[in-house]
Amino acid sequence: MNDRALLKLRARTPISHDEEAAIREGIGAAFTEAANRTTIEMGRPLTTCTLLIDGMMACYKDLSDGQRQITQLHTPGDIVDLHSLTLKRLDHNIMTLTPCRLAPIPHDGLTALCERFPRLARVLWFNSNIDGAVHREWELSLGRRTAMARLAALFCELRLRLDLVGLCDDLSYALPLTQSDLATCVGLTPIHVNRTLMELRRRQLVTFKNKRVTIQNWPALIEVGEFDPAYLYLEQREI
Amino acid sequence: MNDRALLKLRARTPISHDEEAAIREGIGAAFTEAANRTTIEMGRPLTTCTLLIDGMMACYKDLSDGQRQITQLHTPGDIVDLHSLTLKRLDHNIMTLTPCRLAPIPHDGLTALCERFPRLARVLWFNSNIDGAVHREWELSLGRRTAMARLAALFCELRLRLDLVGLCDDLSYALPLTQSDLATCVGLTPIHVNRTLMELRRRQLVTFKNKRVTIQNWPALIEVGEFDPAYLYLEQREI
DNA sequence: CGGGTGGTTGAGCTTTCTCAAATAGAGTGG
DNA sequence: CCACTCTATTTGAGAAAGCTCAACCACCCG
């Protein structure tokens, strides 16, 4: 359930049982959302955050001619709009890419939690700063990496992030997206993504087939994507 | 001095005199840094944040072939590495683009400040979330906007951000960067930036000459860049 | 006056895009 | 189990945005 959120927090920083209990208390009843639904709209005032329990979501912005850029992918255990706690309204949309299981976390409770456990406030702030780090890495991809490197780096990132919440089976993980979804992430055309995926397959680096990514040559994939996991801050730490 | 930082904070949210005094207390002695110096290196453990008092700085990441992407521009009044408070080491470098006046803000004092004034903690968190919003807008630029639109959007953003701290004279502001610096921001070649700037000039939208941006047609510039200031969260608010 | 940086120009080339269509698969109703 | 749809993937060919390389020019500053 929402255990993935705890898994994700604990991967980086210890969480006491009191803190865990307080967090759980703040989470509302889970509900289901169909795929391809924009559940959180840009600009709308928010009074709750949303925890993604299961499924995949994306933050995105559109241009007037319909072009779309996904700015961030969310995996289970993410509070997809944690920043709404301070921003109150978002500068982007958030949609489900697959059927999703979600749970609300009211702002009130979260704010109270932060005052009662200042350490948890730092943990949450830390987590939204990691989102920032991922944004920066994506800026590097979008601005400077080749199509090939963008996809390689994305597959590397997702492997580590999914592994964090127990959703990666060594070198293979479920990725329930279409090639078009990937294109929207990496700032390319679906057609070009298709050709690049074929090339990655041909070079025996990764396969993306039947909604599943299988990494065939991890060191080579890292090399092609110039992937450095430091930006994911995966190591255990005090805070 | 560091009054620009207060200006910036107060533009979005009220700050009491007690809070202001506490903030000022935490700021160390200002010092000077030459242009084009990487003052904060990726990965190095940090125990202070850095306030940019005067000048311009940039966060950037490099690829192995020397290609560079600036992920964020910093203007006076920004705490350029506020996220280091929780991250402890950064996932990117930070350099001066011009000669800069800087001041350290030790982490210890800042953490104490946040516990003493939980409201200030939220204000700071809010500000790092705005950095995230700017990252998202840049991802949209890098992923989907044309060269022309990228530059137009950047000039719009900088106008509003500089205006916030009193560094914009109506439709004109100092921007002490080279065309190459701009190229590093928008993910293009200096040569292509040069040609695009010429086109913006020809169309009488903006001029960038002698390190100064002069906007000649604000509505048209907004239109070309598809600029929507919402992501800068410029309105006054409670927090 | 000379050297250095930053801006401008030209020509040819690459990566990626566009448009159009064919193929493959998954799910549905009969 | 088959025909039918719908979506997702694959293929091809031509076009365009932006890149590379190589100069050249215009300052600015000592």
Side-chain angles (χ1 to χ4, degrees):
Chain A
M1 301 263 170
N2 41 40
D3 292 341
R4 289 228 171 81
L6 268 307
L7 257 181
K8 196 190 139 194
L9 293 180
R10 286 222 166 91
R12 281 147 172 152
T13 197
I15 304 284
S16 75
H17 285 292
D18 279 5
E19 289 168 335
E20 171 172 343
I23 293 171
R24 284 191 193 282
E25 211 170 299
I27 302 178
F31 59 97
T32 298
E33 196 67 63
N36 284 99
R37 280 249 183 328
T38 294
T39 58
I40 301 172
E41 278 153 55
M42 185 162 158
R44 184 156 56 82
L46 297 175
T47 57
T48 68
C49 292
T50 301
L51 171 64
L52 175 56
I53 297 171
D54 224 341
M56 203 128 197
M57 298 185 81
C59 301
Y60 70 91
K61 302 187 90 163
D62 287 336
L63 289 181
S64 62
D65 63 353
Q67 287 199 91
R68 174 165 299 180
Q69 179 63 45
I70 290 179
T71 56
Q72 182 167 31
L73 277 180
H74 282 297
T75 54
D78 289 359
I79 300 174
V80 298
D81 54 354
L82 180 54
H83 46 306
S84 75
L85 184 62
T86 64
L87 296 177
K88 307 300 187 197
R89 61 172 175 79
L90 297 191
D91 51 289
H92 62 272
N93 303 287
I94 310 184
M95 70 181 291
T96 57
L97 293 173
T98 66
C100 286
R101 191 127 190 86
L102 304 172
I105 309 178
H107 284 178
D108 292 351
L110 212 43
T111 306
L113 187 77
C114 287
E115 303 224 354
R116 191 147 72 93
F117 298 99
R119 212 192 66 95
L120 267 189
R122 285 199 296 280
V123 169
L124 292 177
W125 188 356
F126 171 58
N127 272 269
S128 65
N129 283 337
I130 292 178
D131 287 343
V134 173
H135 284 317
R136 284 186 285 273
E137 186 68 18
W138 282 37
E139 285 181 72
L140 176 63
S141 266
L142 293 166
R144 298 298 174 191
R145 282 199 249 247
T146 62
M148 183 124 257
R150 287 182 210 186
L151 285 170
L154 180 59
F155 288 139
C156 289
E157 177 185 313
L158 287 173
R159 180 197 173 196
L160 298 192
R161 285 177 54 190
L162 288 170
D163 190 43
L164 211 58
V165 290
L167 291 174
C168 180
D169 172 14
D170 191 19
L171 286 170
S172 174
Y173 55 88
L175 186 66
L177 308 185
T178 65
Q179 293 187 359
S180 290
D181 294 331
L182 287 183
T184 313
C185 290
V186 295
L188 297 167
T189 299
I191 292 159
H192 198 63
V193 163
N194 177 276
R195 290 181 170 137
T196 309
L197 285 174
M198 283 164 52
E199 176 68 11
L200 282 165
R201 212 178 307 160
R202 197 192 61 72
R203 291 205 211 168
Q204 317 233 43
L205 297 176
V206 232
T207 310
F208 175 51
K209 202 120 205 156
N210 301 322
K211 312 274 180 209
R212 173 161 280 276
V213 172
T214 307
I215 297 169
Q216 289 165 312
N217 190 338
W218 176 245
L221 191 67
I222 284 180
E223 165 116 9
V224 167
E226 288 202 38
F227 178 73
D228 173 359
Y231 75 95
L232 292 174
Y233 294 90
L234 294 171
E235 68 283 357
Q236 188 70 28
R237 58 168 54 214
E238 288 305 321
I239 197 161
Chain B
M1 298 269 171
N2 41 41
D3 292 341
R4 290 227 169 82
L6 268 307
L7 256 181
K8 196 191 138 194
L9 293 180
R10 287 222 165 90
R12 282 152 172 149
T13 197
I15 304 284
S16 75
H17 285 293
D18 279 5
E19 289 167 336
E20 170 171 344
I23 294 171
R24 285 190 193 280
E25 213 171 296
I27 301 177
F31 60 96
T32 298
E33 196 66 62
N36 284 96
R37 281 250 185 329
T38 293
T39 58
I40 301 173
E41 279 153 56
M42 186 164 158
R44 184 156 54 80
L46 296 175
T47 57
T48 69
C49 292
T50 301
L51 171 64
L52 175 57
I53 297 170
D54 224 340
M56 204 128 197
M57 297 184 82
C59 300
Y60 69 91
K61 301 187 92 164
D62 286 337
L63 290 180
S64 63
D65 64 353
Q67 286 199 93
R68 174 165 299 180
Q69 180 62 46
I70 290 179
T71 57
Q72 181 168 32
L73 278 179
H74 282 296
T75 54
D78 289 357
I79 299 174
V80 298
D81 53 355
L82 180 54
H83 45 305
S84 74
L85 184 61
T86 64
L87 296 177
K88 307 300 186 199
R89 61 173 175 78
L90 297 191
D91 51 288
H92 62 272
N93 303 286
I94 310 184
M95 70 181 291
T96 57
L97 293 172
T98 67
C100 287
R101 191 128 190 87
L102 304 172
I105 309 179
H107 283 179
D108 292 351
L110 213 42
T111 305
L113 187 76
C114 288
E115 305 225 353
R116 192 146 72 91
F117 298 97
R119 213 191 64 96
L120 267 189
R122 284 199 297 279
V123 168
L124 291 177
W125 188 358
F126 171 57
N127 272 268
S128 64
N129 283 337
I130 292 177
D131 287 343
V134 173
H135 283 316
R136 284 187 285 274
E137 186 67 19
W138 282 38
E139 285 182 72
L140 176 62
S141 266
L142 292 166
R144 298 297 175 189
R145 280 198 251 249
T146 62
M148 183 122 258
R150 287 182 209 187
L151 285 170
L154 180 60
F155 288 140
C156 290
E157 175 184 315
L158 287 173
R159 182 200 172 194
L160 298 192
R161 285 177 54 189
L162 289 169
D163 191 43
L164 210 60
V165 289
L167 291 174
C168 180
D169 173 13
D170 191 18
L171 286 170
S172 174
Y173 56 87
L175 186 65
L177 308 185
T178 65
Q179 293 187 357
S180 290
D181 294 331
L182 287 183
T184 312
C185 291
V186 295
L188 297 167
T189 299
I191 292 160
H192 197 64
V193 163
N194 176 278
R195 291 181 171 138
T196 308
L197 286 174
M198 283 164 50
E199 176 67 11
L200 282 165
R201 211 179 306 160
R202 197 191 60 73
R203 291 206 212 168
Q204 316 234 45
L205 296 176
V206 231
T207 311
F208 175 52
K209 200 121 207 159
N210 299 323
K211 313 271 180 213
R212 173 160 280 275
V213 172
T214 307
I215 297 169
Q216 289 165 311
N217 190 340
W218 177 244
L221 191 66
I222 284 179
E223 165 117 8
V224 166
E226 288 201 39
F227 178 73
D228 173 357
Y231 75 95
L232 293 174
Y233 294 89
L234 294 170
E235 68 282 356
Q236 189 71 29
R237 59 167 57 214
E238 289 306 321
I239 197 162

